[in-house]
Every structure is written in C-alpha cells, then in structure tokens.
Amino acid sequence: MPPKKRSRVGGKAGSSGEDGQHKSSSVAGKKRKSEESSPDPPQYARWLMKSEPESRFENGIDVKFGIEDLKALPEQTSCWDGVRNYQARNFMRQMKEGQLAFFYHSNCKEPGIAGLMKIVKEAYVDHTQFDKKDVHYDASSKPDNPKWSMVDVQYQRMMKRFLPLSELKSLHLQHRAEGGPLKDVALFTRARLSVQPLTAEEFDFILSLEDEEPL
DNA sequence: GCCAACGTTGGC
DNA sequence: GCCAACGTTGGC
C-alpha cells in the first residue's frame, strides 16, 4: 500500500502509455458509457493517498514513509512509487499537476489524514517495478511495456489538527444514515484502495474539519 | 496478531 | 470465462 521511499524526483518524464484494463464489463460491440472504460473517466481533481508512517519490514526492507519523511526530503518532494493495484494506478494516471491530495497514514497506531500534498509531476514509469531489490519488484512487467506508474508529490502542509479515521468514520456513518458529504466517500466504500479520488464536496468538507473541534 | 474484505491467479 | 484458492490490505 504504501508507496515509499525514494528521494525526490525520480526518473524522466513520459508516461507510459496504455492502460491496462481492469475491469471489464463491456459488451462486445457496445459501448458502455457510464463509468469505467478509459475514454472519459469522471474527472476527479482531489485525491487521498495512503502510506505507512510506522516501520514495517517487508523482505527485510522498511516500508515506513510518513508525512514527516516526505517533508524531510529535498524540495519536500518524492515519487509515489510502489503502487501495485490497477485501480490505484489508473487514478494516479488521471492526476494533473497542481492538484491536491490528502496524505493518509495507514496501518499504524492512529490512522487518519495527516496533511496535504500537491501533485508536482504527472504519471510516469515507476522504475521500482524493474528493480529486483525493490520490495515492489514485478517480474511480470517488462521495460518495453511497463505496467506501473507513479507521480511525484510535494509536501504542502500538515492539517491544522490530525483527522483520525475514527472521526471520519463516524461522520461517514452519520452521513450515510442522514445524508451528508461523506456518505459515499471512498475511504470507507473502497477501503483497500491506496489511491482514491474525492469529489470537491468531500474534499472541502474534510478540509473544513480541521477548524472544528475533534469529535 | 487476527481476520474480513476483496483483488489476483490459475486450473479447468 | 468461471470460480476456488490464495495473497494483500489495513482496521482493530
């Protein structure tokens, strides 16, 4: 889930092409409009990206990468490598320079939204897929047709207060029952996705929570 | 550490 | 192309 380390900007630009396809559901000959398909995916402009702020060793490598680690890098910028899920990858490929993303701390003592970052480089090839030493090496991906992409992100700021998952969850449940902006938020409806889109309404509502008293 | 949810893989 | 087995995510 978490992406991880790596210092600042990584390789060269370019995004690799193609997209894999992932769900299908399409009928032969017919087009399936609503969602899915690559032609025109809904346009999202705000994101939530998960990473683990506490040490955890995978194949002997520490995958820890919290918001403080991002902040400490040169230019407070890092590539977001290691995403190995097609939906998460496809969302990264939709990201545009300048868009904002919440930095979410997962798999830790206190999960929740820690801060804000900005997309500073659009999707390009994640080089770690070819690195046998890397935790996220993917033997099935070939350099002439890379499977995985990453973006570069830059630290913007910490939230004025940490927004715990527990609080977001009670709001989600409340909104689901009575209506409200977090009714369908991906954090709970697509819990395992490490890169998620947020509607403007969801994003703005979550941002407004930092000025509220903790629940 | 447990385990539910869900994505991926591979046999058929 | 189905679906059971398996692997991963991530809260608790």
Side-chain angles (χ1 to χ4, degrees), chain A residues 155-179:
Chain A
Y155 171 84
Q156 295 299 109
R157 64 175 180 84
M158 299 300 288
M159 301 310 285
K160 294 177 199 160
R161 67 176 179 92
F162 182 83
L163 303 177
L165 178 66
S166 57
E167 180 174 340
L168 297 167
K169 185 164 192 179
S170 4
L171 290 165
H172 162 66
L173 292 174
Q174 186 185 322
H175 291 186
R176 206 175 59 181
E178 310 162 10

Side-chain angles (χ1 to χ4, degrees), chain A residues 18-22 32 35-42 90 94:
Chain A
E18 265 50 280
D19 82 317
Q21 237 64 340
H22 355 336
R32 243 305 111 119
E35 39 228 6
E36 219 37 44
S37 299
S38 359
D40 36 0
N90 292 344
Q94 292 177 41

